[in-house]
Amino acid sequence: MSTAEPGWLPTSHPGRPTRPAAPATDWARRTSTTVAVLACLLSWTASSWDGGDRGWVWTVAVVGLLAGIPHGALDHLQAARLLAARRPAPAPALLVLAAAATAYAALAAAGYLLFRALPGPALLLFLALSVLHFGAGETVGWGVERGARRAGTLVVGALVLLVPLARDRSLTGEVVAALDPAVRLPAGWAATVLLVVPAAAVLVAAALALTGRTRAAAEVTLLLVLACTTPALVALAVYFGGWHAVRHTGRLLTEHPGLHHVLRTRGVPAALGRFTALAALPTLVVLAGLGTLWAGAGTPVAAVAATLPVLAAVTVPHSLVVAWGVA
Ligand SMILES: CC1=C(/C=C/C(C)=C/C=C/C(C)=C/C=O)C(C)(C)CCC1
Ligand SMILES: [Fe+2]
């Protein structure tokens, strides 16, 4: 990073903006929509040709998971920036970064220990947190009042996570049993989710369309189709890696001062290049960890069960940093 560019602490931006920042949001919306539409079309085609052999679904699941990892790779920088902005007096940048990274790691460790000690309640908390995190990522740009945003967050978060999990009860059950055979999901949860959530999503899409938010309405409809008509793991993986992570990255290009500077002066591809460079090392660390976990798992289900506590652990600080940034 050259000395003329702002780093991860709040600074005034040198120079005049040469490009507006909206292209990052636009790029993210166009890319994620294209991915979701193509994923639906390809998935319907594959499902009709695979003769019941669903090996391809696991490939899509791994690709989606891997594609989603980098979107949290700059969380420690985001946390440091938010922490620095709240301090009454400026503190040395490295000290703030160390404090933010320590708090982040401590929260992740606490999440992991909780998952290991009490898998049942921790799984329910993790699902609730994930619904809120995914849903909040969708409603952030809707421009609706707070109550409507909260309802939309719950409905769309449940749509993209709980509906696929409920559609493939046997996979969800197997993963949960591999995690801890003593854990029981509440009876009737899947039927309730499938009865309530898609209908609620239709109402949300209709409300958005009737209030002139046609693009948001179309996006909720597309997520409804993805969640309800593609194999559960495909829906989850495509949403996580091809939609949630892409949109979060688009927002980061505007929120992170260094990336925003590159975005304004050199455009979206250059800002994405800079994001890739910054995210590479944390992403590689997570990949190495996942590789170790997966090497010890005998079956795909065992690999997913081994991934779950780690995913839950990093989701705790990740969701908090993202929510703090939006607040
Ligand atoms: C229960 C369960 C799952 C839940 C995954 C979740 C809840 C992921 C949340 C990720 C988040 C919130 C990432 C943030 O960016 C799997 C692995 C799909 C497989 C089947 C069982
Ligand atoms: Fe996220």
Side-chain angles (χ1 to χ4, degrees):
M1 196 183 284
S2 91
T3 48
E5 292 174 16
W8 44 269
L9 286 180
T11 57
S12 58
H13 294 140
R16 257 182 315 124
T18 50
R19 291 164 203 257
T25 321
D26 250 14
W27 163 82
R29 285 184 106 165
R30 268 186 282 112
T31 306
S32 52
T33 304
T34 309
V35 169
V37 169
L38 286 179
C40 285
L41 295 175
L42 290 172
S43 163
W44 297 333
T45 312
S47 296
S48 64
W49 284 98
D50 65 10
D53 172 7
R54 289 291 158 99
W56 63 274
V57 167
W58 286 100
T59 310
V60 176
V62 172
V63 172
L65 175 67
L66 298 183
I69 290 171
H71 91 278
L74 302 194
D75 280 357
H76 57 300
L77 302 183
Q78 286 287 89
R81 193 175 55 78
L82 294 165
L83 201 62
R86 303 246 159 153
R87 282 187 55 89
L94 263 180
L95 198 69
V96 178
L97 182 60
T102 309
Y104 196 91
L107 275 171
Y112 186 80
L113 292 177
L114 180 70
F115 217 99
R116 282 280 163 228
L118 298 167
L123 179 64
L124 292 183
L125 277 179
F126 174 42
L127 289 175
L129 188 62
S130 302
V131 164
L132 294 179
H133 175 67
F134 287 150
E138 300 308 319
T139 55
V140 68
W142 284 4
V144 294
E145 50 94 15
R146 203 194 304 178
R149 198 176 62 196
R150 284 188 180 157
T153 297
L154 280 182
V155 171
V156 183
L159 173 69
V160 294
L161 179 63
L162 302 186
V163 167
L165 290 179
R167 284 184 54 232
D168 199 337
R169 248 159 295 181
S170 68
L171 173 74
T172 307
E174 275 180 60
V175 171
V176 171
L179 194 67
D180 182 347
V183 172
R184 290 269 169 279
L185 291 168
W189 73 274
T192 312
V193 164
L194 294 179
L195 202 67
V196 172
V197 179
V202 170
L203 291 181
V204 168
L208 286 168
L210 289 172
T211 53
R213 298 172 176 89
T214 36
R215 193 166 173 177
E219 288 171 352
V220 172
T221 309
L222 177 55
L223 290 176
L224 184 67
V225 173
L226 178 74
C228 293
T229 68
T230 63
L233 272 181
V234 171
L236 289 162
V238 168
Y239 176 75
F240 179 58
W243 186 289
H244 171 77
V246 170
R247 287 172 175 232
H248 181 85
T249 306
R251 285 192 292 272
L252 266 184
L253 297 189
T254 311
E255 283 170 19
H256 180 287
L259 293 175
H260 190 200
H261 178 78
V262 180
L263 176 70
R264 291 192 313 165
T265 52
R266 291 164 50 208
V268 174
L272 285 173
R274 176 61 58 86
F275 169 78
T276 308
L278 288 175
L281 187 61
T283 302
L284 283 176
V285 172
V286 175
L287 288 182
L290 279 182
T292 317
L293 275 178
W294 290 352
T299 62
V301 167
V304 177
T307 310
L308 217 48
V310 182
L311 203 58
V314 291
T315 296
V316 175
H318 170 69
S319 315
L320 291 178
V321 169
V322 176
W324 190 14
V326 172

